[in-house]
Amino acid sequence: MKQLLKMSKGNKKLKKTLIFDLPAGRTCPMASECHSFAVMDNNGKLSIKDGDNNKFRCFAASQEAQYKNVYNARKYNLNLILESLKGEYGFYRTYELINDSIQKHKTRNINKVRIHSSGDFFNGQYLRCWFAVARLNPLMKFYCYSKSLHLFGTNVSIPENFYLTASMGGKRDDLIHKGYF
């Protein structure tokens, strides 16, 4: 049986929404002020490690340190994504993995996907996989908050059903201040 990504369904605030998460901090290369991540010691105990420029703790890292099942689900998703990205056909395997996972978790009431309430776009190929999935599902809305703003450069074609909110506190806040986002 094919492995699929773990996704959750939204609460009252996020009705009709699938939520996809990756580990906080570890997949947030552009995080600065909120850069925190959960770490597991040799005994299986979770704690939080803060980044060098941390000013406030990431809520998602706190969730992972508090709830082992949350930590494990997000780690599982990252491992599956990283494995699928490998090799010559990594892009195709990854967007198929994401799309198949959405189709598996989607109900007739779901019409949105929240990408990364935890984690972020860690490279351009991974972001392009999400763009491909959005194009395959034009009746759904895909939205995210991201600090990986450099990946959304001027030569990037963002699908009409993909919505980005630039998130402050990252290494490239200058792009927000200059009015690019």
Side-chain angles (χ1 to χ4, degrees):
M1 187 170 154
K2 183 177 179 178
Q3 286 185 299
L4 295 174
L5 299 165
K6 296 178 185 295
M7 296 186 176
S8 59
K9 292 185 174 74
N11 55 23
K12 286 183 179 181
K13 182 180 172 186
L14 298 174
K15 292 179 183 175
K16 301 180 180 185
T17 305
L18 277 179
I19 302 167
F20 175 73
D21 290 325
L22 291 174
R26 296 192 186 285
T27 60
C28 306
M30 302 309 288
S32 180
E33 295 176 3
C34 62
H35 193 224
S36 315
F37 50 94
V39 292
M40 184 182 289
D41 68 17
N42 292 334
N43 297 321
K45 183 173 175 17
L46 290 163
S47 61
I48 296 180
K49 181 168 174 30
D50 292 326
D52 294 338
N53 300 315
N54 183 283
K55 292 184 180 175
F56 55 92
R57 186 157 281 162
C58 173
F59 80 94
S62 298
Q63 288 177 327
E64 292 170 25
Q66 187 173 4
Y67 304 107
K68 195 170 193 174
N69 60 331
V70 171
Y71 173 87
N72 288 336
R74 292 173 182 172
K75 185 174 185 277
Y76 169 88
N77 281 346
L78 177 60
N79 290 342
L80 211 51
I81 291 284
L82 290 175
E83 187 60 34
S84 70
L85 281 169
K86 288 180 182 175
E88 184 180 355
Y89 300 105
F91 171 82
Y92 301 103
R93 279 194 310 273
T94 305
Y95 88 71
E96 284 179 352
L97 169 65
I98 295 168
N99 190 59
D100 289 350
S101 299
I102 288 170
Q103 300 313 314
K104 166 75 171 140
H105 294 287
K106 186 172 84 168
T107 64
R108 62 184 170 93
N109 294 328
I110 298 289
N111 62 10
K112 293 185 284 279
V113 177
R114 164 80 191 265
I115 308 166
H116 305 143
S117 67
S118 172
D120 206 344
F121 299 102
F122 53 86
N123 69 33
Q125 182 178 17
Y126 172 62
L127 173 62
R128 287 188 301 279
C129 290
W130 275 104
F131 286 167
V133 171
R135 288 184 180 100
L136 284 172
N137 296 278
L139 300 178
M140 293 186 76
K141 292 181 181 179
F142 293 79
Y143 72 100
C144 64
Y145 296 81
S146 181
K147 289 178 176 53
S148 293
L149 303 177
H150 65 294
L151 298 177
F152 293 86
T154 55
N155 295 330
V156 175
S157 175
I158 299 174
E160 288 183 24
N161 61 332
F162 191 101
Y163 302 90
L164 163 68
T165 299
S167 183
M168 296 288 292
K171 295 176 183 175
R172 293 304 312 267
D173 284 357
D174 64 299
L175 297 173
I176 300 169
H177 300 307
K178 290 177 183 174
Y180 293 114
F181 297 96

